[in-house]
C-alpha cells in the first residue's frame, strides 16, 4: 500500500514562553505585601518586632513563597517544552526513516516492447507527434463498422528485428543464449497463428530471456518473479496458462509467475517495494483485441525491475531508476505529484519532461492546473509533455509501463515524470541512465 506519512500526526506545539517578567513582578509585589501583613498580624504581642527573626519573617517568608510559586510555574513550562521536544524529535526520526525507505527506487535492468510502430523507436514516434491511430476494420469483423485504433499484424514466426529492446545485449545474442549461454540456438517456435496474445508474450521474451537465465542461475534470491497485467477479463486464467507456456518455451518455467490486478498499474512497483522482496520483478503488460475498444492499441511491454537489495552480476547493467509511484484522485493530483517528487528526490524545476497516459484532451485543463499547483512549471508547457495514447491509442494495462519504457528509451537527462490514470492517477519519477550503444 502507498506510504502513509499521516500516521506521524501533527507536530506538538512548543509552549509560547516561560514565566513572563511583568506578571511575575506583580506576583512578587503581592507576595511581599500579603506576606508582610500576615507576619505582622501573626507576630506574638509579647515579642519585640525587631531583630533578625522578625526581619527574616517579614522579608524571607514572602520571597520564599514567591520562589516556590515561580519554581512550580517554571517546572510546568519545562515539562511541557521537553514533552513537545521529545515527541517532535521522535516524529522527525520516524518521518526521516519512512521517507528514506520510500525514496529507495527500483532499478530497471532491461525493458522491451512490441507495438505496431513499423520498426520506429517508441520515444521517437511519440516525440515526433505523428498520429498513427486510424479508422480501420477490426480483425474480429463486426460488420462494416470501422474503429479508430492501431493493431498488430496477425501472428507470424517471430522476427528479431520487430522487437524493440532497451538496455540489453543485441537481440540475436539474447536469442542465442536461450537455455544455454554457450550454445547458439534458434528462437523458439512462436505460438500457433491466431493466438495473438501468446505471440505478443513470446516476442517480448526474445530480448530478455538471456538476462533472465543469467539471474535465475544465481539462485532463488535472484530468480525473477513474473507478474502479468492485461485488461481483458480472464476468469479461467487463460492468459496465465499462456504465460506459463511461453516461459516453458524459453526454459524459464521454474519462475514464479502470477496475474496482477489490471487496476494495479504502476502501483505494482509500490506493492513490490512494500513487500520487502529481494527478488527482481518482471512486469509484463500486454493487449490483444479481436474487438478493439475505440482509441486503443495492441502490443506489450516488459520491464525487469530489481529492488537493489542484493549484488547483481556485473554483466547486467542498470539502465534506469524507477522511484516509488504515488496515487491520488484527479481532483487532488497536485498532492500526488508533490508526493511523487518527494519519493523521487527531485525538485519540481528539474523535471523537464512528462509522459502522460490514460488522460484525454478533456483532462488537459485539470492536468495543467495540477502541474502549476505542484510548481512543475516546465511540464505545464505542452511541448514538454508526451502523450503516447494520442499517437498510438490507449494500451490498456500496458499504458503506464509503456510510458516508463519510452522514458528510458528517450535517455532524457535528469528526472522524468510518469503520469498514468487507472482508477486513480499514478505519478512516478524516473531517471534514465546513459546506455552503451548496441553492437551491430
Amino acid at each position: 500500500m502507498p506510504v502513509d506519512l499521516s500516521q506521524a500526526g501533527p507536530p506538538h506545539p512548543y509552549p509560547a514562553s516561560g514565566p513572563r517578567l511583568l506578571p511575575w513582578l506583580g506576583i512578587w509585589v503581592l507576595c511581599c505585601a500579603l506576606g508582610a501583613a500576615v507576619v505582622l498580624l501573626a507576630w506574638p504581642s509579647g515579642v519585640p518586632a525587631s531583630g533578625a527573626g522578625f526581619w527574616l519573617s517579614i522579608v524571607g517568608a514572602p520571597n520564599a513563597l514567591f520562589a516556590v510559586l515561580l519554581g512550580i510555574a517554571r517546572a510546568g513550562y519545562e515539562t511541557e517544552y521537553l514533552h513537545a521536544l521529545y515527541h517532535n524529535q521522535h516524529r522527525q526520526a520516524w518521518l526521516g526513516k519512512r521517507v528514506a525507505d520510500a525514496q529507495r527506487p527500483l532499478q530497471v535492468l532491461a525493458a522491451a516492447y512490441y507495438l505496431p510502430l513499423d520498426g520506429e523507436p517508441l520515444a521517437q514516434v511519440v516525440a515526433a507527434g505523428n498520429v498513427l491511430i486510424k479508422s480501420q476494420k477490426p480483425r474480429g469483423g463486426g460488420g462494416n463498422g470501422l474503429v479508430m485504433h492501431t493493431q498488430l499484424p496477425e501472428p507470424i514466426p517471430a522476427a528479431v528485428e520487430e522487437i524493440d529492446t532497451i538496455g540489453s545485449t543485441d537481440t540475436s545474442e539474447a536469442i542465442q543464449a536461450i537455455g544455454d549461454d554457450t550454445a547458439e540456438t534458434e528462437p523458439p517456435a512462436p505460438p500457433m497463428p491466431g493466438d495473438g496474445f501468446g505471440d505478443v508474450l513470446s516476442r517480448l521474451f526474445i530480448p530478455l530471456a538471456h538476462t533472465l537465465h543469467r539471474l535465475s542461475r544465481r539462485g532463488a534470491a535472484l530468480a525473477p518473479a513474473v507478474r502479468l497485467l492485461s485488461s481483458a477479463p480472464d476468469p479461467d486464467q487463460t492468459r496465465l496458462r499462456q504465460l506459463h507456456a511461453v516461459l516453458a518455451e524459453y526454459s524459464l518455467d521454474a519462475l514464479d509467475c502470477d496475474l496482477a490486478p489490471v487496476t494495479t498499474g504502476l502501483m505494482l512497483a509500490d506493492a513490490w517495494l512494500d513487500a520487502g522482496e529481494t527478488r527482481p520483478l518482471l512486469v509484463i503488460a500486454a493487449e490483444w483485441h479481436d474487438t478493439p475498444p475505440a482509441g486503443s492499441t495492441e502490443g506489450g511491454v516488459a520491464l525487469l525491475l530489481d529492488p537493489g537489495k542484493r549484488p547483481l552480476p556485473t554483466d547486467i547493467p542498470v539502465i534506469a531508476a524507477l522511484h516509488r509511484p504515488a496515487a491520488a484522485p484527479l481532483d487532488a493530483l497536485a498532492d500526488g505529484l508533490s508526493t511523487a517528487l518527494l519519493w523521487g528526490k527531485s525538485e519540481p524545476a528539474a523535471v523537464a519532461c512528462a509522459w502522460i497516459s490514460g488522460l484525454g484532451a478533456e483532462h488537459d485543463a485539470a492536468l495543467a492546473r495540477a502541474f502549476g499547483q505542484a510548481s512543475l512549471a516546465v511540464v505545464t508547457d505542452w511541448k514538454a509533455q508526451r502523450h503516447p495514447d494520442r499517437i498510438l491509442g490507449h494500451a490498456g494495462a500496458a499504458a503506464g509501463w509503456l510510458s516508463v519504457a519510452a522514458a528510458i528509451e528517450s535517455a532524457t537527462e535528469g528526472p522524468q515524470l510518469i503520469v498514468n490514470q487507472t482508477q486513480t492517477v499514478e505519478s512516478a519519477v524516473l531517471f534514465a541512465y546513459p546506455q552503451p550503444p548496441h553492437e551491430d
Side-chain angles (χ1 to χ4, degrees):
M1 60 180 296
V3 175
D4 183 12
L5 300 182
S6 65
Q7 297 177 8
H12 281 191
Y14 291 98
S17 64
R20 301 170 68 92
L21 175 61
L22 291 179
W24 280 94
L25 183 60
I27 294 174
W28 175 75
V29 171
L30 185 63
C31 285
C32 289
L34 292 178
V38 170
V39 169
L40 289 173
L41 290 175
W43 192 257
S45 58
V47 179
S50 62
F54 174 77
W55 290 110
L56 183 62
S57 300
I58 287 289
V59 177
N63 281 281
L65 175 62
F66 173 78
V68 169
L69 294 176
L70 181 60
I72 292 173
R74 185 67 190 185
Y77 168 81
E78 293 290 346
T79 300
E80 186 178 354
Y81 180 88
L82 291 175
H83 177 72
L85 176 65
Y86 294 148
H87 171 85
N88 291 339
Q89 287 179 340
H90 177 75
R91 175 181 178 274
Q92 196 61 37
W94 184 87
L95 284 173
K97 182 178 184 304
R98 292 289 288 171
V99 169
D101 289 343
Q103 289 178 334
R104 188 179 72 250
L106 286 169
Q107 300 172 335
V108 185
L109 307 183
Y113 57 81
Y114 176 49
L115 294 165
L117 295 173
D118 296 327
E120 296 294 325
L122 173 60
Q124 181 178 317
V125 169
V126 175
N130 297 321
V131 178
L132 300 182
I133 190 170
K134 60 184 178 181
S135 182
Q136 55 187 318
K137 189 172 182 178
R139 67 166 52 85
N144 297 321
L146 301 178
V147 179
M148 287 289 294
H149 71 293
T150 54
Q151 63 183 24
L152 292 167
E154 292 298 324
I156 56 174
V160 173
E161 297 79 18
E162 296 177 0
I163 309 296
D164 290 279
T165 313
I166 307 168
S168 74
T169 56
D170 77 278
T171 51
S172 60
E173 178 185 342
I175 292 172
Q176 293 170 354
I178 292 173
D180 185 355
D181 285 348
T182 62
E184 293 189 1
T185 61
E186 293 298 322
M192 293 296 293
D195 186 6
F197 189 85
D199 180 69
V200 172
L201 295 181
S202 187
R203 290 171 183 270
L204 289 174
F205 272 93
I206 292 175
L208 301 180
H210 187 47
T211 300
L212 295 174
H213 277 285
R214 280 184 287 177
L215 289 171
S216 299
R217 284 196 298 270
R218 298 296 178 118
L222 284 180
V226 185
R227 297 295 180 264
L228 175 65
L229 297 92
S230 177
S231 297
D234 191 25
D236 55 357
Q237 295 194 325
T238 301
R239 299 302 195 218
L240 185 59
R241 288 199 297 272
Q242 288 176 301
L243 176 59
H244 279 291
V246 171
L247 288 171
E249 291 174 11
Y250 289 91
S251 301
L252 293 166
D253 45 309
L255 296 183
D256 167 33
C257 62
D258 203 352
L259 296 175
V262 64
T263 55
T264 303
L266 296 177
M267 298 307 290
L268 181 59
D270 177 85
W272 198 254
L273 287 168
D274 278 348
E277 285 279 0
T278 60
R279 299 176 297 169
L281 171 67
L282 178 61
V283 178
I284 302 175
E287 297 293 339
W288 179 269
H289 305 120
D290 289 326
T291 305
S296 66
T297 188
E298 295 178 332
V301 60
L303 292 107
L304 183 58
L305 311 173
D306 181 66
K309 293 187 176 182
R310 294 180 181 272
L312 292 169
T314 56
D315 56 350
I316 298 180
V318 176
I319 63 173
L322 176 64
H323 284 268
R324 182 186 293 267
L330 183 60
D331 57 3
L333 177 56
D335 294 335
L337 294 171
S338 297
T339 302
L341 291 171
L342 175 61
W343 297 163
K345 296 187 284 189
S346 301
E347 293 296 326
V351 179
C353 183
W355 297 83
I356 303 163
S357 55
L359 293 166
E362 68 275 13
H363 299 117
D364 284 352
L367 195 60
R369 184 167 55 254
F371 284 156
Q373 292 171 348
S375 301
L376 290 161
V378 176
V379 296
T380 302
D381 186 349
W382 65 269
K383 294 179 182 178
Q385 299 178 14
R386 303 288 183 266
H387 294 268
D389 293 359
R390 303 182 191 183
I391 304 300
L392 278 172
H394 187 53
W401 296 104
L402 278 174
S403 291
V404 173
I408 297 171
E409 188 178 52
S410 73
T412 300
E413 185 177 353
Q416 300 181 69
L417 185 64
I418 312 296
V419 180
N420 177 56
Q421 184 176 41
T422 53
Q423 289 183 330
T424 59
V425 183
E426 306 156 345
S427 309
V429 170
L430 179 132
F431 288 84
Y433 301 144
Q435 303 167 32
H438 290 181
E439 298 180 1
D440 294 331

